[in-house]
Amino acid sequence: MGGLQGKLLERSKNIKGHGTISINQLDLNLREQLKKQLIEKEILFVEEYQLEVLLKVGEYMAPVIVHGIPLDSKLPAQVFENNLEEVIIGRDLSRSLGLSKGDSLKLISPGHTTGFFYEVPRSISLYLDTVIGTDVPDVDSFHIWAPINKVRNLTGIVNGANYLRVFSPLKELKSVELPKQASITSWEEEHKTLVKALGLENTVMVFLFSATTILVGLSITTGLLILFDQTKVDLASFWILGSSEKSIFKSFQSFLYAMNFVSVGIGIGVGLIFLFLLDNYGLEIMPDIFVEQKIPVKITARGIGISFGVPLIIGLIFSKLSLVQFAKDAGYTKILRGPSL
């Protein structure tokens, strides 16, 4: 599950960045100073003018988010690799409007009007450079990219940008002095619903994993009770040889706890080996309809901790319950006398 979620987040952040810095309230000097700081800190970013517009093709229109970026920008990589000249759109959007490379389209901004004769929305006509597929549903359906100067023409603003889209981890921005008027919005803040859904998915998976472990724990308890019944005569022999009931109980308890620790450790080791082989030598077993043809693998310290801690704790709990029952039934005198007739 972590691998699938990790790939989804990676694809989205590759095209949307790790976050944005709003610079709409900054004057030109402050913008240049901020950009200079980011360049000196080697933080990857792109200046853009983001705008919500209508895309019109013939009689059909669709709401889109246009990202105006400089032509010399190298980010986002999917857009840069396809040689942006006029406009690049997502795969799903092109399919819904029946667009293909070289087709003409019009961008209309209802929020910006021209009043030469009467108030009408500003618009520009562009030719489609190419269609890209990012495998991020909302990007492929509602996002397009165009040169920033053309987007400025659509708004009537000569010089301007409203965002710096950051493609480096946001923790690197801690060393940057941001102006008070600028604000940072992380990818997680922009996608609160998705983050919440993924968190709920993780919670459910941990719950199911714990429930499965509890079922295994019940089996362990049954097996331990059978083990106690089969070894009670042997344990009574230690008592005859001079060991106290307390020392016998502690020895048996230490053995069970060590067995839990070693068993879970071996399980984690075997699981990591399997995941390593699956990640490096796994075959593409998924149908073509799926984005991920190969099962993705993501190994994290948190995942290893949960996989180790949950079964170990549950195993120790059920072992303790079994030991409590063993302490109640362990009457060595009664065992030596045998069953009463």
Side-chain angles (χ1 to χ4, degrees):
M1 186 57 66
L4 292 171
Q5 293 183 359
K7 288 292 185 180
L8 173 62
L9 298 182
E10 181 183 347
R11 289 194 301 270
S12 183
K13 290 182 178 181
N14 283 341
I15 190 69
K16 289 186 174 182
H18 289 256
T20 56
I21 302 175
S22 177
I23 59 173
N24 201 35
Q25 303 298 323
L26 302 183
D27 58 36
L28 187 59
N29 290 332
L30 288 177
R31 292 184 185 186
E32 292 301 322
Q33 291 176 12
L34 178 56
K35 289 163 58 178
K36 184 178 180 181
Q37 283 191 73
L38 296 178
I39 293 173
E40 290 176 351
K41 302 294 183 180
E42 298 184 349
I43 296 175
L44 300 177
F45 73 96
V46 60
E47 183 181 27
E48 75 170 36
Y49 198 113
Q50 179 178 305
L51 191 65
E52 294 183 10
V53 298
L54 292 175
L55 189 155
K56 184 177 181 182
V57 180
E59 298 180 355
Y60 299 97
M61 288 195 299
V64 297
I65 297 175
V66 58
H67 301 270
I69 59 177
L71 289 176
D72 59 352
S73 172
K74 296 184 179 181
L75 295 168
Q78 294 97 321
V79 177
F80 169 72
E81 291 170 357
N82 285 279
N83 299 321
L84 173 65
E85 293 183 3
E86 294 212 352
V87 65
I88 289 176
I89 71 175
R91 178 178 53 201
D92 295 340
L93 181 61
S94 71
R95 186 182 297 117
S96 63
L97 295 176
L99 285 169
S100 58
K101 185 176 181 180
D103 288 348
S104 175
L105 55 88
K106 181 178 289 188
L107 298 183
I108 303 172
S109 177
H112 300 86
T113 59
T114 178
F116 185 70
F117 293 109
Y118 47 85
E119 294 294 331
V120 295
R122 298 179 68 95
S123 63
I124 57 173
S125 296
L126 302 171
Y127 288 98
L128 178 60
D129 292 326
T130 189
V131 176
I132 63 173
T134 64
D135 294 322
V136 181
D138 64 313
V139 173
D140 289 342
S141 299
F142 300 106
H143 291 253
I144 67 175
W145 294 264
I148 191 170
N149 60 332
K150 294 185 181 295
V151 178
R152 288 170 179 165
N153 291 337
L154 181 63
T155 62
I157 299 175
V158 178
N159 293 311
N162 50 15
Y163 290 104
L164 296 180
R165 191 165 298 276
V166 181
F167 288 86
S168 297
L170 293 187
K171 61 183 180 181
E172 297 183 12
L173 293 177
K174 293 180 179 180
S175 59
V176 178
E177 296 182 5
L178 291 176
K180 295 181 179 179
Q181 301 91 334
S183 60
I184 301 176
T185 304
S186 66
W187 183 94
E188 288 75 14
E189 291 173 334
E190 291 181 355
H191 303 82
K192 292 181 180 179
T193 303
L194 177 60
V195 172
K196 184 177 180 180
L198 295 178
L200 179 60
E201 188 176 44
N202 287 332
T203 302
V204 171
M205 292 301 296
V206 172
F207 171 76
L208 293 176
F209 175 64
S210 301
T212 305
T213 308
I214 289 175
L215 293 177
V216 176
L218 292 174
S219 301
I220 292 173
T221 303
T222 304
L224 288 176
L225 292 176
I226 295 174
L227 176 65
F228 294 154
D229 186 67
Q230 295 293 326
T231 59
K232 59 185 179 182
V233 176
D234 298 325
L235 295 176
S237 65
F238 289 108
W239 178 66
I240 294 173
L241 293 173
S243 298
S244 64
E245 293 186 11
K246 187 176 182 180
S247 64
I248 294 174
F249 179 83
K250 285 187 175 180
S251 298
F252 213 79
Q253 178 178 259
S254 300
F255 167 73
L256 290 180
Y257 288 172
M259 184 176 66
N260 275 284
F261 186 86
V262 172
S263 299
V264 175
I266 292 175
I268 293 294
V270 173
L272 289 174
I273 293 173
F274 173 77
L275 291 177
F276 174 80
L277 295 175
L278 181 63
D279 187 31
N280 291 276
Y281 305 102
L283 302 176
E284 295 184 356
I285 60 176
M286 304 301 289
D288 293 340
I289 193 173
F290 290 94
V291 174
E292 300 294 342
Q293 303 292 304
K294 177 182 172 183
I295 298 177
V297 174
K298 183 179 181 181
I299 301 175
T300 62
R302 180 173 179 269
I304 294 176
I306 292 175
S307 300
F308 183 82
V310 171
L312 180 61
I313 291 173
I314 293 178
L316 293 177
I317 290 174
F318 280 99
S319 297
K320 184 64 176 179
L321 294 176
S322 302
L323 288 168
V324 170
Q325 186 64 36
F326 165 71
K328 291 180 180 179
D329 298 338
Y332 296 118
T333 305
K334 183 178 178 181
I335 294 172
L336 293 175
R337 288 177 180 174
S340 58
L341 299 176

